[in-house]
Amino acid sequence: SKGNHRHFMSKEIYEQPDTISHTLSNYVNFAERKVQLPQELPFDFAKLSRLTISSCGGSYYAAMIAKYWFEKYARLPVEVDIASEFRYREPPMEKDGLALFVSQSGETADTLAALRYCVSQDQHIASIVNVAESTIARESDVVFPTLCGPEICVASTKATTAQQTVLATLAIAAGKQRGILSDAQEAEMVDALAKLPGAMSKALASEPKIASLDKSLSKAKDVFYLGRGALYPVALEGALKFKEITYIHAEGYAAGELKHGPIALIDEKVPVVVVAPSDALLEKTLSNMHEVAARGGNIILITDEAGAKQAGPDINEIILMPEVHELVQPIVATVPVQLLAYHTAVFMGTDVDQPRNLAKSVTVE
Ligand code: F6R
């Protein structure tokens, strides 16, 4: 049931502090400040020269975030691709590599086909799924469940952040096994994860501000989402969710790439959502944002207190997030982009939980 929510989407967005807390309790030993995976690993991260991740849609964007994490915290090169491209590329793979598949349903046809290709290439097969008895789970050597409960709304929300959470713990585990992260660094990252459910609640508190933008967003013909680093996939996720349920064209871009073409589309009618919490890259992203503002773009900045202080006067709206460890910034920043899509869709009266032309489980290729 939807409880006291109007839509499953809203219910599932609001469940996230609890679902993440539950997921973490299965992947982290908070008392010892260590990651503790629910499964023995049938491979050694220290022996890998590469990790290959394939998935589709929102699950692909979760994988893209993980690429930044594995490369930064475990110095493990990651290849990530959309499953429907990966499978037909017939990429060469070194024997005994690790192939990871991310899927809420565990039934996505292209992801399953990519998995079977990797079996033929003698890869270790790992998957992150929400449906434990799914085909992808059954055909994997090791399964990491996201444990967020059934997701009803077609647009994925709590499953996406649960995938991100599991991927973060795997990246830490890899960093430890590869001797990149010290015990102290692991402890610091585990503390950041411990604070994540509370940070998700704080992120949800931005809802009234976000709801107030529904009318102006509903009039847009195009909406841009910009991010850099691990926030770039969050921009892509935001644009996907927005177009999926509002039927308004939205596009996610790496902040630094806008000036190579798409900035030609910016005028005062185009809202530009900039996902930029305070981190090492903030200054660069803000300078991209000012380029957009100078062309009349209507800036909606998602940042934290420290970021807001640096941002300058040419911003139309600021959506404030709590200040969190860099590791969990993408997970926290996923909440406001979910809410932006949700409120605009509700304002427009679309079928939020069952958007047109879409199905929850995509079993056609
Ligand atoms: C977007 C969305 C889809 C799915 C994609 C993959 O909100 O839900 O893009 O992420 O169809 O589905 P799974 O994760 O079941 O493989």
Side-chain angles (χ1 to χ4, degrees):
S1 104
K2 294 177 210 157
N4 47 19
H5 291 270
R6 245 174 100 182
H7 300 98
F8 281 107
M9 185 169 182
S10 156
K11 174 177 178 260
E12 289 163 359
I13 288 173
Y14 271 84
E15 277 173 355
Q16 293 176 112
D18 290 337
T19 51
I20 286 186
S21 175
H22 178 65
T23 304
L24 284 172
S25 68
N26 286 274
Y27 286 83
V28 171
N29 183 330
F30 288 113
E32 289 181 22
R33 299 170 78 202
K34 281 184 178 312
V35 164
Q36 196 174 303
L37 301 178
Q39 260 76 257
E40 285 275 314
L41 297 179
F43 52 83
D44 185 348
F45 274 117
K47 296 212 174 94
L48 293 178
S49 56
R50 184 167 63 159
L51 166 65
T52 305
I53 320 181
S54 326
S55 42
C56 301
S59 297
Y60 167 65
Y61 299 141
M64 262 181 91
I65 295 172
K67 175 181 170 75
Y68 290 86
W69 287 333
F70 278 104
E71 293 190 344
K72 176 166 186 179
Y73 300 120
R75 304 304 297 154
L76 175 60
V78 175
E79 197 209 317
V80 53
D81 203 355
I82 302 162
S84 60
E85 285 300 315
F86 177 84
R87 57 177 295 199
Y88 296 116
R89 277 201 286 128
E90 299 186 18
M93 304 183 88
E94 213 174 293
K95 196 173 174 300
D96 293 325
L98 176 61
L100 174 63
F101 302 89
V102 184
S103 176
Q104 186 287 128
S105 63
E107 301 296 345
T108 301
D110 283 315
T111 308
L112 179 59
L115 182 156
R116 288 176 177 161
Y117 174 77
C118 291
V119 171
S120 79
Q121 298 296 300
D122 298 315
Q123 304 296 296
H124 296 288
I125 308 292
S127 61
I128 297 178
V129 297
N130 198 41
V131 181
E133 60 281 8
S134 59
T135 313
I136 288 174
R138 280 200 312 271
E139 297 193 13
S140 299
D141 303 322
V142 59
V143 179
F144 300 103
T146 42
L147 304 165
C148 67
E151 190 178 62
I152 309 297
C153 178
V154 167
S156 181
T157 54
K158 66 173 181 174
T160 301
T161 53
Q163 289 167 348
Q164 295 166 353
T165 302
V166 169
L167 285 161
T169 64
L170 287 178
I172 299 170
K176 277 310 294 293
Q177 273 195 1
R178 293 170 68 80
I180 305 296
L181 294 177
S182 65
D183 286 346
Q185 286 168 314
E186 178 183 28
E188 184 198 315
M189 292 166 94
V190 164
D191 292 350
L193 291 171
K195 291 188 201 140
L196 179 57
M200 296 299 273
S201 297
K202 286 191 189 136
L204 287 166
S206 66
E207 176 161 39
K209 173 76 198 175
I210 291 173
S212 76
L213 305 175
D214 57 0
K215 191 171 168 195
S216 68
L217 283 170
S218 74
K219 291 191 191 129
K221 286 220 169 55
D222 309 279
V223 180
F224 275 92
Y225 285 75
L226 304 183
R228 203 180 256 280
L231 282 311
Y232 165 42
V234 177
L236 295 170
E237 168 70 10
L240 174 65
K241 220 105 293 184
F242 196 84
K243 68 186 125 195
E244 186 175 14
I245 62 171
T246 68
Y247 314 147
I248 295 172
H249 171 245
E251 223 173 300
Y253 253 95
E257 190 64 10
L258 205 72
K259 57 180 166 299
H260 298 287
I263 199 161
L265 294 170
I266 302 295
D267 64 20
E268 50 295 327
K269 293 198 202 79
V270 182
V272 181
V273 180
V274 181
V275 189
S278 54
D279 60 14
L281 302 174
L282 177 67
E283 219 172 293
K284 296 278 176 215
T285 307
L286 291 180
S287 94
N288 301 136
M289 187 186 76
H290 296 311
E291 290 159 11
V292 172
R295 280 139 189 103
N298 211 325
I299 309 279
I300 300 170
L301 175 63
I302 299 173
T303 190
D304 49 30
E305 290 276 359
K309 278 196 197 110
Q310 278 187 56
D314 51 357
I315 298 143
N316 301 74
E317 305 287 350
I318 292 188
I319 298 170
L320 267 191
M321 293 294 107
E323 262 169 62
V324 293
H325 188 289
E326 208 170 275
L327 169 72
V328 299
Q329 281 177 342
I331 311 179
V332 173
T334 299
V335 173
V337 300
Q338 294 169 343
L339 287 171
L340 276 170
Y342 176 72
H343 279 285
T344 307
V346 170
F347 180 83
M348 296 176 76
T350 60
D351 192 347
V352 172
D353 286 335
Q354 288 285 342
R356 68 188 184 199
N357 309 340
L358 291 169
K360 184 67 183 158
S361 182
V362 185
T363 50
V364 290
E365 302 188 0

